Amino acid sequence: MTDQRTMTNQQVLAVCRSNWEYRGIDDPSLREMLDELSAHLEDAVAAGRTPRDVVGNDVTRFAASWARARAPFTRRLLRSAARCSAT
């Protein structure tokens, strides 16, 4: 496992993409979120900061939090209900 303290911008983006795909974020939103995060990460590097300064100590938690904020509660609830009924 990669040490999250030394992750590159590309590694952070890959973790976030994987998390968001797993959570069912639609492709247009996923691309928008990745573009926005990429811009923040590039700005941080230009200012002498690290990816960790942007996303915090836990990249997966950051990605999950952003996904929850991005997906309306009703859509998350319906997706959860569909998973439960499928089992």
Side-chain angles (χ1 to χ4, degrees):
M1 176 160 205
T2 303
D3 183 350
Q4 292 189 9
R5 293 171 294 178
T6 59
M7 290 178 77
T8 66
N9 287 357
Q10 291 306 316
Q11 290 170 320
V12 169
L13 292 169
V15 169
C16 289
R17 173 188 289 277
S18 176
N19 188 285
W20 296 335
E21 287 173 344
Y22 172 78
R23 292 171 179 280
I25 300 294
D26 61 275
D27 286 341
S29 294
L30 190 136
R31 283 191 299 273
E32 181 183 330
M33 293 164 74
L34 287 171
D35 289 345
E36 183 177 342
L37 179 55
S38 182
H40 286 299
L41 292 168
E42 289 171 12
D43 289 345
V45 168
R49 310 297 298 252
T50 67
R52 184 177 175 190
D53 293 326
V54 176
V55 299
N57 294 328
D58 188 333
V59 178
T60 303
R61 183 176 289 171
F62 167 84
S65 175
W66 196 357
R68 283 190 303 272
R70 187 72 182 223
F73 177 72
T74 52
R75 190 170 76 196
R76 290 195 325 260
L77 186 61
L78 290 172
R79 195 168 52 235
S80 293
R83 276 191 225 130
C84 289
S85 67
T87 56

